[in-house]
Amino acid sequence: MQSDAPELAVVVASLCRGVQHYAPGSVCYSGPTKPADIARSVSEWRHKAAGGQYLTLALPIDALAAIRHVLEAGDVVLAVAAKRNGTTGKNWHAGLADSHVVTLAARGPGTDAWLHTVTQEEARGALAGDWNRRRYPDLDRVVRYLTGRQIGVALSVGAAAGLAHLGFLEVLERADIPIDYLCGSSMGGVVALAYGAFGSATRATAAMCRLGTEFARAKGIQFMPRAALVGERRMQQMGRDLFGECTFSELSRPIAVVAADIIAGERVVLDRGRVAEAAQATGAIPGLFPPVMSGNRVLVDGGIVSRIPVDLLTHHRCGLMLAAIARSHVPLTSDARQAEFDRMCRRLDQPLGFRAALGASWKLLGWWDSAVQAQRADVVVNIDTPVREGFNFAAGMQMADCGRAAAEARLADISAAVGRLLAPGMP
């Protein structure tokens, strides 16, 4: 860790206290600050320390460059700053280590990137009594980032069926499962952003379902479609209605969503700037919703390149990775299959019937790819949704019910995994 302000010593001390709570036997280095001495101490620690223990170095910012050569992949450099101006005020480099910033100011529009925030009062309280995750939530989240104990959730694609993720998050929230980091693709990304913007799964559900119903009623298909069936102005208005001018820095927790750049042929991870623009980009289903122009990029639905971005949870040092996949429940009986066959034939024979084949193919691709990508997660929750409602954005509450049912069915497994992760002394 590093800090360039002496008054932040209490914050550094409280972070060291938290590391020792979760990883007994960990040590906070307070010896000589000469680079050679520090490097020697680090080397000795790596050789002698037991598994699951951490060495915390509390150093001035100027000392970091001199010990950069001893950092390894998996180490963390944490900058502790007194002000929030988008940077720590100095140029600092983490080498191979992960890097993050902790500030003492309230979250707000001062920067477009999300930063951890810890108050001086919370830091003092953590030093005065027993460690309490619920009493010191912001400080605890930083400590769990340091010790690899954060809980991350990845949400899948799914078009309207992706609204089922709202119910899934509601159940986790009611069960007091800490959600430290969220990521998603397509509708899963939009749900993640709504959860972060409203700070509550219940409020996010109400807002998204209301907007989905309004969208379904108005239709809004252009008479002479250009980039997509739904016009750009309408999508921008929906983004403003849901998120206003909110930026990633103002979200309740760090969130990242995925989009696809069809110019460069690349996956783009969006985690800063205006939330409304990111939501439009990650959910821009080709042909249905218009692409988003961002600089020299043309961004479309993240599901093109990543159906459920579980890999982002690994990059964020999440010790427990949860994946939720929204999928249509396909009928298995011969009568049910015949009924779905007849229905699909009727839809294909209607004007703009190509939408039925496009939608069904998109859902099938989403399910198969998501199942493969989700294998990296520790717990995978499959959410069965009605087969006929994949693009019915008015069915938000019905989808949320599906998400609640799926989460409740796996809640015991999730709670047990969380308990193991947060138990002091567990690696």
Side-chain angles (χ1 to χ4, degrees):
M1 288 186 292
Q2 54 174 327
S3 168
D4 53 3
E7 67 271 18
L8 299 185
V10 65
V11 178
V12 173
S14 65
L15 290 170
C16 289
R17 169 83 182 276
V19 170
Q20 291 168 342
H21 165 78
Y22 282 112
S26 295
V27 173
C28 184
Y29 179 85
S30 56
T33 58
K34 292 182 178 179
D37 294 332
I38 298 172
R40 183 168 53 254
S41 297
V42 171
S43 298
E44 291 175 355
W45 172 265
R46 294 194 195 279
H47 180 68
K48 297 179 180 179
Q53 295 179 344
Y54 295 85
L55 173 64
T56 304
L57 306 175
L59 305 173
I61 193 169
D62 295 333
L64 180 61
I67 65 164
R68 203 175 158 194
H69 64 285
V70 303
L71 298 177
E72 297 180 357
D75 293 341
V76 180
V77 172
L78 192 70
V80 182
K83 292 196 295 186
R84 171 173 230 190
N85 295 318
T87 70
T88 61
K90 297 192 180 230
N91 294 323
W92 56 280
H93 305 281
L96 293 174
D98 296 321
S99 60
H100 217 81
V101 179
V102 173
T103 71
L104 289 182
R107 278 186 289 271
T111 178
D112 65 351
W114 199 96
L115 303 178
H116 281 288
T117 302
V118 176
T119 66
Q120 193 83 357
E121 291 72 21
E122 188 171 312
R124 288 197 184 98
L127 287 176
D130 293 336
W131 192 266
N132 189 306
R133 174 174 68 83
R134 295 172 181 83
R135 191 177 301 165
Y136 316 117
D138 294 319
L139 185 63
D140 183 78
R141 185 175 293 164
V142 179
V143 169
R144 288 190 288 106
Y145 173 81
L146 291 172
T147 57
R149 284 172 166 80
Q150 287 208 328
I151 298 165
V153 179
L155 306 178
S156 77
V157 301
L163 295 169
H165 294 308
L166 291 163
F168 171 78
L169 293 175
E170 280 187 38
V171 172
L172 297 188
E173 191 173 74
R174 287 200 304 267
D176 194 31
I177 304 295
I179 301 175
D180 300 305
Y181 179 71
L182 266 172
C183 61
S185 233
S186 193
M187 184 57 81
V190 179
V191 168
L193 292 171
Y195 182 66
F198 287 92
S200 158
T202 301
R203 290 195 292 270
T205 299
M208 289 199 69
C209 290
R210 172 188 56 78
L211 198 63
T213 299
E214 292 174 357
F215 173 80
R217 286 174 180 167
K219 299 296 183 185
I221 295 177
Q222 301 182 97
F223 177 68
M224 289 291 290
R226 292 180 180 270
L229 292 174
V230 179
E232 182 178 5
R233 287 186 180 179
R234 183 160 188 228
M235 296 308 300
Q236 290 175 342
Q237 183 60 53
M238 289 178 64
R240 287 193 295 269
D241 290 344
L242 190 60
F243 299 110
E245 296 300 317
C246 176
T247 65
F248 276 83
S249 68
E250 298 170 90
L251 299 177
S252 63
R253 67 206 70 232
I255 291 172
V257 299
V258 173
D261 178 4
I262 58 176
I263 298 298
E266 296 175 343
R267 182 174 88 158
V268 179
V269 178
L270 305 172
D271 61 0
R272 60 190 60 212
R274 292 182 61 249
V275 172
E277 182 176 312
Q280 288 173 239
T282 191
I285 299 174
L288 180 59
F289 301 131
V292 173
M293 312 302 174
S294 179
N296 60 0
R297 295 184 182 275
V298 179
L299 303 179
V300 299
D301 194 291
I304 296 290
V305 288
S306 186
R307 314 299 289 182
I308 180 167
V310 175
D311 63 303
L312 295 183
L313 304 182
T314 302
H315 296 159
H316 201 78
R317 298 177 58 83
C318 293
L320 178 62
M321 299 184 290
L322 308 179
I325 302 175
R327 61 178 189 177
S328 296
H329 179 67
V330 180
L332 297 178
T333 67
S334 58
D335 289 344
R337 284 182 179 273
Q338 185 62 44
E340 288 303 317
F341 171 78
D342 294 340
R343 176 175 174 271
M344 178 61 75
C345 289
R346 290 194 300 270
R347 293 183 63 195
L348 291 172
D349 197 41
Q350 294 175 352
L352 299 177
F354 70 90
R355 290 182 299 164
L358 181 63
S361 302
W362 189 262
K363 287 190 296 182
L364 184 61
L365 175 63
W367 160 237
W368 282 102
D369 262 6
S370 297
V372 172
Q373 293 176 28
Q375 290 178 357
R376 302 180 186 182
D378 300 300
V379 179
V380 180
V381 178
N382 293 314
I383 306 174
D384 288 332
T385 60
V387 70
R388 298 184 182 183
E389 305 294 349
F391 282 83
N392 181 7
F393 292 95
M397 285 300 180
Q398 182 183 7
M399 297 300 182
D401 285 340
C402 295
R404 294 184 192 102
E408 287 167 355
R410 297 297 307 277
L411 186 58
D413 295 334
I414 295 172
S415 297
V418 170
R420 290 190 295 271
L421 179 74
L422 300 185
M426 295 296 291

